[in-house]
Amino acid sequence: MDRILHDDFQSLFLNENSGWCVSLFLPTFRAGRETEQNSIRFKNILRKAEKILVENGVENAERQKMLAEPEALIQDRSFWDHQSDGLAMFFSAEKFGFFRLPVTFEELTVVSKRFHVKPLLPIQAADGVFYVLTLSQNNVRLLECTQHSIDEVDLGDLPQNLEETIPDGATDKQLQFHTGTPSGTGSDARSAVFHGQDAGNETKIRMSRWFRMIDDRVKELVVDVRAPLVLAGVDSLFSIYREASSLQNLIESGISGNADKLKSEELHTQAWVLVEPFFKKSRDEAVARFRQLEGSGKTSTDLSQTLAYAHHGRIEVLFVAVGVQVWGTFDPQSEHAEIHDFQTGDDGDLLDLAAIQALAKGAVVYALPQDQMPMPEYLAAILRY
């Protein structure tokens, strides 16, 4: 899986583009003989994008410049053999980027004057991603999941077992440590953990040191600190990890048992049962808050107004309907949106634009099916002020 970092988001989706931008979304196969279909389907969708560029009057030289890097991937067997559930690709005359993601996209080609991001919202939005961290003395895994997919995160050079990290029989000096910093030095301060000489206590000390290392690596890899994380392992390890951890969204309940014996799919199924109420509670509270504030001047369902609020960073929470496009243009100077029945000329998806701007300005975004929106409209916002 490729990770969508903040800098990637800024570079591809927020900066102004001088010409046509192509956004491609394609379901892909991870393994087996079906992977041979990946490059074939990609070639077909690329030809569709080229046809649209021709129809929009893009000169041959510029088209070739835009298509050079995507076309080079068609014959790259190693690229197609290492896919996730979906491929999102973005390119223009100046930019090129792609993400292999645990999301099964509907096949989609969008050519406009900016990149199209809405199919990525199940990962970027507030109710999209959760993590499972397996704990044992012999192995550690970090799984990044959505409701319908799972992907193992590469932990890099992190040692995979306790003995490799802190050998049994480590000296007292090695074991006499504390994970905290002096009182009052910041939000990440942690109190001292595990001092003593008995064998059982020394094991706890070793485990705590290792878990602190794991926790630090997880913090580096978890892009969205709001995403819930489920622990999986023997119950006795949970309390040790919680004492060593500074993660904010550890789910109270864990997956009990020998995590080494559970397949990723089994972990995913059990973890979803634990995190679904977390997501539903946050989403339901946001919907209820919108309805409570309706009519107070602190909400908006008007497309032009909401786009203006997003542009100025005034949106706290945005609800946007997925699977729907509202084509048109928005002028931030006049704060006016012009809506068209079909995509023409410089049109982009205005719902997509609202989501991009809201995410960039720190809003919480919920991507919902139309029938779960708080109002019949395609977007709704709670304002900061």
Side-chain angles (χ1 to χ4, degrees), residues 35-279:
T35 59
E36 297 175 2
Q37 299 180 34
N38 290 337
S39 61
I40 297 172
R41 297 174 70 179
F42 175 72
K43 183 177 180 180
N44 292 336
I45 199 173
L46 197 60
R47 295 286 78 84
K48 180 179 179 180
E50 183 177 22
K51 182 175 182 290
I52 297 173
L53 289 171
V54 171
E55 292 171 351
N56 284 327
V58 180
E59 297 292 335
N60 183 63
E62 184 177 356
R63 288 202 314 275
Q64 295 306 312
K65 182 179 179 182
M66 294 175 67
L67 293 165
E69 289 185 275
E71 286 186 333
L73 290 175
I74 294 175
Q75 302 300 325
D76 188 343
R77 184 64 190 177
S78 64
F79 176 78
W80 298 110
D81 283 344
H82 295 85
Q83 292 294 314
S84 187
D85 299 301
L87 174 67
M89 183 172 292
F90 308 91
F91 61 90
S92 65
E94 295 84 23
K95 298 177 182 178
F96 172 74
F98 61 82
F99 303 99
R100 293 162 291 194
L101 300 166
V103 176
T104 304
F105 297 120
E106 294 291 332
E107 189 171 303
L108 179 65
T109 302
V110 177
V111 179
S112 66
K113 289 302 181 75
R114 57 181 174 79
F115 292 117
H116 185 76
V117 70
K118 200 162 54 171
L120 299 181
L121 288 181
I123 285 183
Q124 291 296 104
D127 57 350
V129 173
F130 64 95
Y131 294 86
V132 180
L133 178 64
T134 69
L135 301 172
S136 77
Q137 294 190 31
N138 301 313
N139 189 32
V140 56
R141 286 179 286 165
L142 179 64
L143 307 175
E144 186 168 46
C145 311
T146 67
Q147 180 180 358
H148 304 292
S149 64
I150 183 169
D151 214 41
E152 185 161 352
V153 178
D154 184 359
L155 295 173
D157 59 357
L158 182 75
Q160 283 295 297
N161 59 70
L162 176 62
E163 186 62 31
E164 179 184 345
T165 311
I166 306 169
D168 191 15
T171 66
D172 287 348
K173 184 176 180 180
Q174 288 175 298
L175 297 177
Q176 295 297 322
F177 79 105
H178 60 83
T179 61
T181 53
S183 177
T185 58
S187 60
D188 194 39
R190 310 182 206 183
S191 60
V193 179
F194 303 127
H195 290 268
Q197 302 301 320
D198 63 272
N201 212 29
E202 288 184 1
T203 299
K204 290 182 180 180
I205 294 170
R206 293 168 64 224
M207 293 296 295
S208 184
R209 291 182 66 186
W210 187 39
F211 286 172
R212 174 86 186 266
M213 294 172 61
I214 294 170
D215 196 66
D216 289 341
R217 180 58 56 85
V218 170
K219 284 191 294 184
E220 294 174 1
L221 295 170
V222 171
V223 176
D224 186 352
V225 296
R226 300 169 300 180
L229 186 144
V230 178
L231 297 177
V234 179
D235 287 345
S236 60
L237 300 180
F238 293 166
S239 61
I240 302 175
Y241 189 88
R242 292 180 191 282
E243 283 194 71
S245 175
S246 64
L247 292 169
Q248 300 300 309
N249 264 0
L250 283 175
I251 296 295
E252 184 176 349
S253 300
I255 300 171
S256 299
N258 186 345
D260 293 343
K261 294 183 177 180
L262 294 176
K263 296 180 180 179
S264 296
E265 292 76 13
E266 295 172 304
L267 290 165
H268 174 267
T269 299
Q270 294 186 48
W272 177 250
V273 173
L274 299 176
V275 301
E276 184 179 18
F278 175 93
F279 285 136

